[in-house]
């Protein structure tokens, strides 16, 4: 997966964001999103074309089981969480392709207030896929959801 941190995500980390304690969420975007190139947006509402998934029973998901691990042997910090499952429930003929996941920190309002929600990073799938009405599960491997290192 291609990883892209947003400037607002890096600022949140530098300003003391608590990965394990803050409300961090994920949303699915399609292949026409501009979320992969707009690294300087401040809030979710600022994306020109978010192209968020809309089929069936889809809803944004809160991340659970979040942990932060310092790995001195490999000179990195690993951010991790449990696998993420999105219900879709759409009819197979009407499903949108899923191209990537945008991870974001809930602002001072509710998770539906995109004018306050801070984009953290973007992870692209190697190829987009159409769920066909089935749930979309994002499998988080043992390397974690994101890694921060010197460089």
């Amino acid at each position: 997966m291609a990883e892209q941190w947003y400037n607002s995500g890096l600022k949140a980390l530098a300003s003391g964001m608590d990965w394990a304690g803050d409300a961090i969420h994920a949303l699915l975007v399609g292949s026409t999103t501009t979320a992969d190139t707009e690294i300087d947006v401040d809030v979710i509402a600022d994306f020109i074309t978010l192209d968020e998934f809309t089929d069936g029973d889809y809803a944004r998901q809160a991340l659970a089981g979040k942990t932060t691990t310092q790995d001195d042997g490999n000179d990195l910090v690993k951010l991790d969480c449990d696998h993420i499952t999105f219900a879709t429930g759409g009819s197979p003929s009407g499903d949108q392709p899923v191209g990537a996941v945008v991870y974001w920190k809930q602002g001072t309002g509710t998770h539906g207030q995109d004018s306050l929600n801070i984009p953290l990073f973007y992870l692209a799938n190697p190829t987009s896929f159409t769920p066909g009405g089935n749930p979309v599960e994002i499998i988080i491997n043992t390397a974690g959801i994101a890694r921060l290192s010197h460089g």
Side-chain angles (χ1 to χ4, degrees), residues 45-75:
D46 288 347
F47 286 113
I48 293 170
T49 304
L50 186 57
D51 190 24
E52 184 170 5
F53 195 80
T54 58
D55 283 354
D57 298 324
Y58 165 80
R60 296 175 177 187
Q61 296 298 307
L63 274 56
K66 299 179 310 248
T67 61
T68 304
T69 305
Q70 181 174 322
D71 181 349
D72 291 332
N74 291 305
D75 295 327

Side-chain angles (χ1 to χ4, degrees), residues 48-133:
I48 293 170
T49 304
L50 186 57
D51 190 24
E52 184 170 5
F53 195 80
T54 58
D55 283 354
D57 298 324
Y58 165 80
R60 296 175 177 187
Q61 296 298 307
L63 274 56
K66 299 179 310 248
T67 61
T68 304
T69 305
Q70 181 174 322
D71 181 349
D72 291 332
N74 291 305
D75 295 327
L76 61 86
V77 172
K78 177 175 78 169
L79 304 178
D80 206 356
C81 68
D82 295 341
H83 301 325
I84 308 161
T85 302
F86 294 89
T88 59
S91 63
S93 62
D95 279 343
Q96 297 170 266
V98 175
V101 183
V102 174
Y103 296 89
W104 51 278
K105 178 184 179 296
Q106 183 173 317
T108 55
T110 64
H111 73 276
Q113 293 182 280
D114 285 346
S115 61
L116 301 172
N117 295 330
I118 301 165
L120 299 175
F121 58 96
Y122 168 98
L123 288 178
N125 294 315
T127 57
S128 66
F129 62 93
T130 302

Side-chain angles (χ1 to χ4, degrees), residues 5 7-19 79 120 148:
W5 278 85
N7 293 344
S8 57
L10 295 173
K11 180 181 176 186
L13 284 173
S15 300
M17 182 184 84
D18 179 2
W19 173 260
L79 304 178
L120 299 175
L148 304 168

